[in-house]
Amino acid sequence: MPFGFNRNGNRRPSRHLPAVALLGAALMAPPIVPDAAAQPRPPTQPDAGTLLRDIERLSVVGSVLYVAAHPDDENTRLIAWLVGQKGLRTAYLSMTRGGGGQNLIGPEQSEMLGVVRTGELLGARSVDGAEQRFSRARDFGYSKSPEETLAVWGRDAALADVVWTFRSFRPDVVITRFEPTGPNHGHHTASAILADEAFDAAGDAKRFPEQLETLAVFTPNRLLHNQSHWRITPDTDTSKWLRIDVGAYDAARGRSYGEIAATSRTMHKSQGFGSAPQIGPQLEYFTPLKGATLAPGDDPLKGLDFTWKRFPGTEKLAATLKRAAAEFDPRAPHAVLPILAEAHGLMKTVPDARWRAIKTAELERVMAQAAGLWATARAEQPAVAPGAKVKITTQFVNRSPAEVALKAIGVSHFGRQKGVGLTGPDRVVERAFDVEIPADLLTVPHWLAKPPTPASYVIEDPAARDRADTPAALHATFEVTIAGAPIDLMVPVEYAWTDAVAGERSHPLEVLPPVTATFDEDVLMLPHGRPGAARVTLRATTKDGAKGTLALTAPAGFTVKPASVDFDLTDKAPEQVVPVTVTATKGAATGTLTAQAKVGGRAWSWQQSVVDYPHLPRRTVLRPATLDLKPLAIDRGKTQRVGYIAGPGDRVAEALRSVGYTVEEVDEQAIVAGDLKRYDAVVVGVRAYNTRPRLMALHAPLMDYVKGGGRLIVQYNTNNRFNPLDGPIGPFPFQITRDRVTDETAAMTPVDPKHPALTRPNRLGESDYADWVQERGLYFAGDWDSRYQPLFSAHDAGEAPLEGSTIVARHGKGVFVYTGLSLFRQLPAGVPGAYRLLANLLAL
């Protein structure tokens, strides 16, 4: 494989998945701090209560950084309270983008899942008002120790990233979600260890001195650990901890912080974290770790001055901002603009350049919103090719009686049109721009612009190392004066359309190749050297179409037909599907089929996937146009027809079809009707029992199918306090545990080497357990009935052997199997041994 890591694993070479730019779009002040362009932004026009809170927040000069490991680890109710009730600039530093997790809403895994979860975190921050930061560390899957985590990430490299965020964000208070000791996910504990070490290192000029070319040393006032509320019982002694009540009700916005937090947390839909609001008092507890001395029961923010008194010479600014909040009229928000304009002029008195920039940006955004300004830049098409022209229409409307003058409008790569003049209430000003896109531009997120390493993403721009997302490809700038104050308003160039169900939707204009060549699968398995069939979909990026030649090449040992195809894509026929046949010669090793589209003398080799969920902006993800070719020696035995009960994000059925099985989707109605007898075997997808609750009620007909001679294979499910499984899954009792083996190279020792599952129709050996990705398995069986037979013994280093990865039981004439082996990762990744093992289980 050319570079990167397996898209379904994280410790093994594979394809790199570059993607497009910024999630979300709304009116914003110009980016003054390095990451401002990539932060979530509030709606173009907030309600009057939110606008009042934003004005009040201008008088708060303080910041808090919350540190944890993954998307969804953050305490949203605390974050919402810190932003809304205290007015503090608050950010969440997630060490990873979460690509090693599972996915309840779709098929994305690895880097693609990281794209989804990045979007979900930005969506959460747009709700609770905080900012989002990341380190460059990759989520390589579950880790059982911080030692392993820090070894994989590289302790110094990971620490350097946390120190960078400390020095650039400069928080007064740092709060960790997890403790630096004790049993936990290794990523969780490592995040706390790194925050603890960064507290000292960020203030030491000898640590990471290269950062001091653009940053200064900095030590926060205090480091706190936020106690996990799910571990607090009525018997827990909380008297030794610091505490605050974050359950306050915000009358201006008509919501409590528990309600805001639930909406924020529910953005983590790929992880199944839909949340109900918590109403009433909600105590949060903290342990002081470093810095300021605090006593049990204290407010964790005690003794900190978050007012303008921190900076001498700002007395008049502070009084002016206080007067703006006092005189704000929700029926006429524009009336406060003269006072805000006065404050705008006084911002130059702030001696601290960083806070001056931050608060000026906040003030300018508030002024635009108080004036009710509408400013958009819309492209006539969703995407454009490098070197092509695109028409962009800007629209500006002053929807209030405020004194607003529009001096000029500009668009990236074009320049500015001047002399627009005063804009009275509801006067619409439109301008059109024909912008030529640079020939070398593609919208690719900064964290995927270079092939990642096993430890981290490669981000060349130091200022972007903790940035949440990449700025949009193009922006429009509106040069205005509001009540006499000069302001530049920047908005991303978007494409907008009307969805018949969702209404208007939009996403940033994408810069994509003129034509993409997308394979219908990620891996093409070639059983016994027989020809394999694939399809390549050619798609033109714009209505102008594309004309050229598709070339298909593979290494020695493979024959590809056709080797080339001419195409002529048009507005009426923007797609062309090309059937491809690949044959492997005897003894051929793994190879890669590459598709290259030649258009106008330039070659393009990209395929595309689209991330499109209701809670996220639609996003095209580019990746190299390659297809892994995997010759495979496999015997399916007599098993041909397989029924598949799909779980969330499940691609196992596709994988089975690729090696010759006839696979049909099975729903609950088919089980009730007793239609399973026509299948040689039935496979239940990952977490199907968690997401299809009716399956538990259909236990009897499923067991009747097994008893009558069927083979039922159940892949892993979870059983925990969030999602308990109440009822049996197999014919005899067993428990689903949290046991797992995270080392994908761990030895797989047969419990009974003569067991049919290991010997026929494919005799399995050590080579079948090679090249697995991310892990051996998870959520193993435990406390099983003696009538079950375990197949394997495996363990992580330093741990006792586990035998619950796969258990098998005869029941009547048939066979039941529960397996926690991560076949859902291995099969789409093209791991030959996983196919051969599953073929044996299907043939039992």
Side-chain angles (χ1 to χ4, degrees):
M1 299 181 184
F3 47 68
F5 301 88
N6 191 285
R7 72 197 65 194
N8 307 298
N10 293 278
R11 302 176 183 170
R12 167 173 184 259
S14 88
R15 301 177 193 164
H16 170 52
L17 306 176
V20 300
L22 187 69
L23 289 171
L27 187 65
M28 59 176 281
I32 297 177
V33 290
D35 62 341
Q39 293 297 344
R41 291 159 290 173
T44 301
Q45 188 56 43
D47 58 65
T50 300
L51 185 54
L52 172 60
R53 292 290 180 253
D54 288 343
I55 292 173
E56 292 172 339
R57 191 180 177 190
L58 294 170
S59 295
V60 181
V61 192
S63 56
V64 177
L65 180 67
Y66 200 88
V67 182
H70 310 104
D72 75 36
D73 284 344
E74 77 273 26
N75 185 340
T76 55
R77 72 181 190 184
L78 173 60
I79 288 174
W81 181 86
L82 288 168
V83 174
Q85 184 72 12
K86 304 301 288 186
L88 292 165
R89 185 183 183 217
T90 306
Y92 171 45
L93 171 61
S94 175
M95 291 301 300
T96 76
R97 294 179 184 267
Q102 283 79 51
N103 187 354
L104 276 180
I105 63 173
E108 295 86 3
Q109 294 181 19
S110 192
E111 306 310 329
M112 287 291 293
L113 179 57
V115 172
V116 171
R117 297 186 73 182
T118 293
E120 290 180 336
L121 262 182
L122 290 174
R125 299 293 79 79
S126 71
V127 172
D128 57 40
E131 301 175 21
Q132 184 59 50
R133 302 291 184 101
F134 289 100
S135 83
R136 294 173 294 176
R138 298 179 70 250
D139 181 354
F140 58 85
Y142 191 88
S143 174
K144 291 185 176 179
S145 72
E147 292 78 15
E148 182 201 30
T149 297
L150 294 172
V152 172
W153 285 349
R155 190 179 194 122
D156 280 353
L159 177 59
D161 282 2
V162 181
V163 168
W164 176 277
T165 300
F166 276 35
R167 288 172 172 172
S168 61
F169 189 74
R170 303 177 76 81
D172 297 291
V173 180
V174 176
I175 303 174
T176 63
R177 168 82 283 186
F178 303 106
E179 295 178 283
T181 58
N184 208 325
H185 190 322
H187 298 180
H188 293 170
T189 307
S191 72
I193 292 172
L194 292 168
D196 182 88
E197 294 181 1
F199 187 90
D200 299 319
D204 185 349
K206 295 180 181 179
R207 303 299 304 274
F208 312 108
E210 69 282 358
Q211 298 181 6
L212 302 182
E213 295 179 8
T214 54
L215 301 175
V217 294
F218 176 78
T219 301
N221 179 272
R222 62 195 63 178
L223 175 67
L224 309 174
H225 167 237
N226 182 198
Q227 295 291 336
S228 300
H229 58 83
W230 57 84
R231 294 181 179 175
I232 298 174
T233 70
D235 297 327
T236 301
D237 179 11
T238 62
S239 63
K240 58 185 176 181
W241 294 333
L242 315 177
R243 70 193 65 196
I244 49 173
D245 181 359
V246 298
Y249 171 72
D250 185 348
R253 292 195 284 180
R255 302 178 75 192
S256 68
Y257 296 109
E259 292 172 285
I260 295 171
T263 304
S264 174
R265 190 156 188 78
T266 297
M267 290 300 298
H268 296 296
K269 298 182 190 299
S270 68
Q271 305 307 295
F273 274 13
S275 300
Q278 296 176 310
I279 307 300
Q282 297 165 42
L283 291 177
E284 290 287 347
Y285 297 97
F286 305 84
T287 301
L289 301 177
K290 287 184 175 180
T293 300
L294 298 168
D298 277 351
D299 183 321
L301 304 179
K302 179 182 178 181
L304 289 167
D305 183 1
F306 294 132
T307 72
W308 284 107
K309 292 179 182 178
R310 300 178 70 169
F311 304 112
T314 59
E315 294 81 6
K316 189 173 181 180
L317 171 63
T320 303
L321 292 172
K322 184 177 180 180
R323 181 159 52 93
E327 296 186 19
F328 177 78
D329 183 354
R331 295 165 297 183
H334 67 278
V336 79
L337 283 169
I339 304 176
L340 293 176
E342 181 182 348
H344 188 273
L346 291 169
M347 279 292 174
K348 64 179 179 292
T349 65
V350 178
D352 185 288
R354 177 175 158 275
W355 274 112
R356 182 170 64 246
I358 292 169
K359 287 301 176 180
T360 297
E362 290 181 9
L363 175 57
E364 291 179 350
R365 182 174 61 247
V366 166
M367 291 178 69
Q369 293 167 339
L373 299 186
W374 173 269
T376 61
R378 297 284 172 85
E380 63 180 350
Q381 58 203 50
V384 62
K389 286 189 174 183
V390 60
K391 181 181 179 181
I392 296 168
T393 301
T394 63
Q395 187 180 79
F396 184 88
V397 186
N398 174 15
R399 297 180 292 178
S400 78
E403 179 188 341
V404 177
L406 178 58
K407 301 293 187 179
I409 305 172
V411 176
S412 306
H413 312 298
F414 184 89
R416 295 197 176 193
Q417 294 182 1
K418 296 185 177 181
V420 179
L422 290 173
T423 60
D426 296 324
R427 179 190 170 195
V428 178
V429 178
E430 289 190 351
R431 292 290 186 271
F433 299 79
D434 289 319
V435 178
E436 183 173 341
I437 304 299
D440 60 350
L441 179 63
L442 283 177
T443 45
V444 178
H446 60 283
W447 74 92
L448 292 175
K450 297 288 184 180
T453 73
S456 64
Y457 299 107
V458 177
I459 301 174
E460 293 185 338
D461 179 5
R465 67 197 301 169
D466 64 350
R467 185 177 292 168
D469 206 350
T470 310
L474 277 73
H475 287 84
T477 301
F478 298 82
E479 182 182 332
V480 302
T481 61
I482 303 176
I487 295 172
D488 277 5
L489 301 175
M490 185 185 295
V491 299
V493 174
E494 300 176 309
Y495 172 74
W497 75 103
T498 302
D499 183 281
V501 175
E504 185 178 78
R505 298 185 63 193
S506 64
H507 63 72
L509 174 69
E510 298 176 332
V511 182
L512 307 176
V515 61
T516 54
T518 303
F519 290 101
D520 60 347
E521 299 290 347
D522 298 329
V523 178
L524 180 61
M525 306 303 293
L526 301 169
H528 300 293
R530 291 195 300 268
R535 297 190 308 169
V536 181
T537 299
L538 296 167
R539 181 171 181 81
T541 289
T542 70
K543 293 181 179 180
D544 295 334
K547 185 176 182 179
T549 301
L550 172 69
L552 296 160
T553 58
F558 297 92
T559 301
V560 182
K561 294 182 179 180
S564 66
V565 174
D566 292 333
F567 59 85
D568 187 1
L569 307 176
T570 66
D571 182 20
K572 294 184 178 179
E575 290 189 3
Q576 179 179 334
V577 178
V578 179
V580 181
T581 301
V582 181
T583 304
T585 60
K586 186 176 181 180
T590 296
T592 300
L593 174 62
T594 300
Q596 187 178 76
K598 298 179 180 179
V599 179
R602 187 173 177 182
W604 303 89
S605 185
W606 296 96
Q607 57 184 326
Q608 65 168 277
S609 299
V610 176
V611 175
D612 191 7
Y613 293 104
H615 66 302
L616 300 175
R618 187 181 187 275
R619 184 172 196 162
T620 303
V621 179
L622 296 175
R623 50 194 172 93
T626 58
L627 176 68
D628 292 341
L629 305 176
K630 296 289 186 76
L632 173 66
I634 187 172
D635 187 342
R636 299 194 307 273
K638 296 181 180 180
T639 302
Q640 178 57 39
R641 186 178 296 274
V642 177
Y644 201 88
I645 304 172
D650 201 332
R651 299 169 62 194
V652 172
E654 301 168 20
L656 290 173
R657 292 188 186 101
S658 74
V659 293
Y661 291 98
T662 300
V663 182
E664 298 177 5
E665 296 283 337
V666 174
D667 60 17
E668 287 83 348
Q669 191 56 42
I671 300 172
V672 172
D675 292 341
L676 301 183
K677 293 180 181 179
R678 57 200 185 98
Y679 299 115
D680 300 319
V682 172
V683 180
V684 181
V686 295
R687 301 177 81 166
Y689 281 90
N690 299 126
T691 58
R692 304 176 72 158
R694 195 179 174 197
L695 286 180
M696 198 65 72
L698 297 176
H699 180 256
L702 286 170
M703 293 304 104
D704 287 344
Y705 164 72
V706 176
K707 193 172 184 179
R711 305 171 184 90
L712 180 65
I713 300 170
V714 177
Q715 297 178 78
Y716 93 87
N717 282 261
T718 63
N719 184 22
N720 54 50
R721 61 191 177 88
F722 297 114
N723 204 351
L725 293 180
D726 298 321
I729 292 178
F732 314 116
F734 72 92
Q735 297 295 319
I736 296 176
T737 73
R738 295 182 62 84
D739 289 345
R740 62 179 73 203
V741 174
T742 62
D743 183 356
E744 68 272 32
T745 68
M748 297 287 284
T749 304
V751 175
D752 177 6
K754 297 181 180 179
H755 194 285
L758 307 178
T759 58
R760 61 177 189 259
N762 302 285
R763 182 169 291 278
L764 304 183
E766 288 186 10
S767 62
D768 290 297
Y769 311 116
D771 298 325
W772 283 46
V773 298
Q774 184 159 319
E775 64 208 355
R776 286 300 188 195
L778 63 171
Y779 299 103
F780 289 180
D783 297 328
W784 55 82
D785 186 279
S786 61
R787 284 166 285 189
Y788 288 105
Q789 294 176 277
L791 293 186
F792 302 104
S793 174
H795 63 92
D796 284 315
E799 295 189 355
L802 299 173
E803 294 187 351
S805 69
T806 307
I807 57 174
V808 180
R810 294 281 174 184
H811 180 54
K813 298 179 181 179
V815 177
F816 172 86
V817 178
Y818 175 81
T819 181
L821 295 175
S822 60
L823 301 177
F824 75 101
R825 294 192 194 277
Q826 314 310 323
L827 299 183
V831 177
Y835 279 90
R836 287 162 49 84
L837 171 59
L838 183 54
N840 286 7
L841 296 176
L842 291 169
L844 282 173

